[in-house]
Amino acid sequence: MVLAEVVAVDIGGTSIKASLVGPRGLPSAPVRLPTPVGGGPAAIVDAVARVVGGLRTPGTGAVGCAVPGVVEPGTGVVRRAANLGIVDDLPLGPVLAARLGLPVTVEHDVRAACRAEAELGAARSVGDAVVVVAGTGLAAGLLVGGRVVTGTRGAAGEFGHIPVVPDGEPCACGQRGCAEAYASAGGLRRRYRDRSGPARSDPGPSAAELVSRLDDDPLARALWAEACVALGRTLVATTALLDPAVIVLAGGLSLAGPLLADPVRATLAAGLAWREPPPVVLSGFGDRAGVVGAGLVARDPLRTAKRRIASRCG
């Protein structure tokens, strides 16, 4: 018997989002807690184990974890996740599996979101799509020929580290001018804090707070406009390379709706004078696309086990 329920966890640089996911792939009983980045990898593992323990039921058969950074396909090893403070190899899947007594599948958070959109969301009817997740960081899931691309080292889709501003703002990756430094919640917060003057001691506004200030805060307006241009320019290069049928905007910044989508569409169209731009749509999952995708990848080992049993019985 294949158990119907799985626990899906999306480990972000700001928050850990988790849900119990039923057989139709849609999350329920959502939980959200701050990510204890300051406590290092051990604190993050402890937090995930606690949240899974609080959600699992007797019918829970597996766990799926979506993680930002470089995830080695098939092993559950996180090679690097700068936004989580993981800079060395962390065997997240094996460690959690040993603690929980359940199969644990680990996937790059944006590839998980891409799978959610491909199977259940805005990219369901197409074979080629780009799914942008703009949260604490910035990356894209690449759907090509109906398959989510992983790349040689599991690092495909790190398009937030495409330089779009020559000699621009420093990025956490060590480069300058990366799209992520401008068009992510982390980048916006840092830039607002730095532009507010040396006396500022708080970490700066969240993306939601910054959006709420757009009508009466000139600095918020200027930084948001620069973020939309940076994201649009990155999508120009991505479109020229991949020719997607649709671009899906997900993650926390996508909750701004047309305030994000409209200027990104304008920048994309201006950068593709030689062709029609692909449609840019908002994810129906918002900032929970990673959770939905984690629920889907959690079922992979269960499906594999079911196929093995069927082949032996056949």
Side-chain angles (χ1 to χ4, degrees):
M1 180 179 72
V2 176
L3 301 175
E5 294 177 335
V6 299
V7 175
V9 185
D10 182 6
I11 308 170
T14 302
S15 64
I16 296 172
K17 298 182 283 289
S19 290
L20 192 65
V21 179
R24 294 187 178 182
L26 298 178
S28 62
V31 174
R32 185 187 297 250
L33 66 154
T35 305
V37 174
I44 293 172
V45 171
D46 288 343
V48 173
R50 285 197 305 272
V51 77
V52 172
L55 285 170
R56 67 185 296 181
T57 71
T60 299
V63 176
C65 289
V67 182
V70 179
V71 178
E72 185 174 80
T75 68
V77 176
V78 181
R79 293 298 180 195
R80 183 179 179 89
N83 287 335
L84 298 180
I86 299 171
V87 295
D88 295 312
D89 301 341
L90 173 67
L92 180 64
V95 169
L96 283 173
R99 288 185 59 167
L100 298 169
L102 291 170
V104 177
T105 303
V106 180
E107 178 60 282
H108 186 284
D109 59 346
V110 178
R111 287 200 293 271
C114 186
R115 183 162 171 181
E117 297 295 344
E119 295 189 25
L120 301 171
R124 192 170 48 229
S125 59
V126 303
D128 299 275
V130 174
V131 178
V132 177
V133 178
T136 303
L138 176 67
L142 310 175
L143 185 70
V144 178
R147 297 175 64 88
V148 179
V149 175
T150 60
T152 302
R153 300 182 179 180
E158 290 292 340
F159 95 149
H161 299 298
I162 296 175
V164 293
V165 179
D167 197 30
E169 298 276 349
C171 180
C173 74
Q175 299 183 144
R176 300 187 72 91
C178 292
E180 182 172 296
Y182 295 83
S184 68
L188 283 164
R189 170 169 272 177
R190 177 188 57 77
R191 298 188 74 222
Y192 192 100
R193 182 194 64 222
D194 292 349
R195 297 278 190 93
S196 297
R200 190 180 184 97
S201 59
D202 66 83
S206 68
E209 291 167 342
L210 187 141
V211 169
S212 72
R213 301 177 186 181
L214 292 180
D215 285 340
D216 53 14
D217 185 335
L219 178 57
R221 277 199 303 276
L223 296 180
W224 185 258
E226 290 172 3
C228 293
V229 168
L231 179 54
R233 286 177 177 171
T234 311
L235 289 172
V236 169
T238 307
T239 297
L241 182 64
L242 297 176
D243 188 26
V246 65
I247 294 170
V248 183
L249 302 182
L253 265 65
S254 75
L255 300 179
L259 291 174
L260 177 71
D262 288 348
V264 167
R265 289 185 187 112
T267 300
L268 179 61
L272 293 172
W274 54 278
R275 56 159 287 173
E276 286 291 319
V280 177
V281 303
L282 294 164
S283 169
F285 300 126
D287 66 347
R288 299 194 68 82
V291 171
V292 176
L296 293 172
V297 302
R299 295 186 183 280
D300 289 343
L302 301 180
R303 293 190 186 103
T304 300
K306 184 177 181 180
R307 286 194 295 269
R308 286 174 180 166
I309 293 170
S311 66
R312 290 171 185 168
C313 295

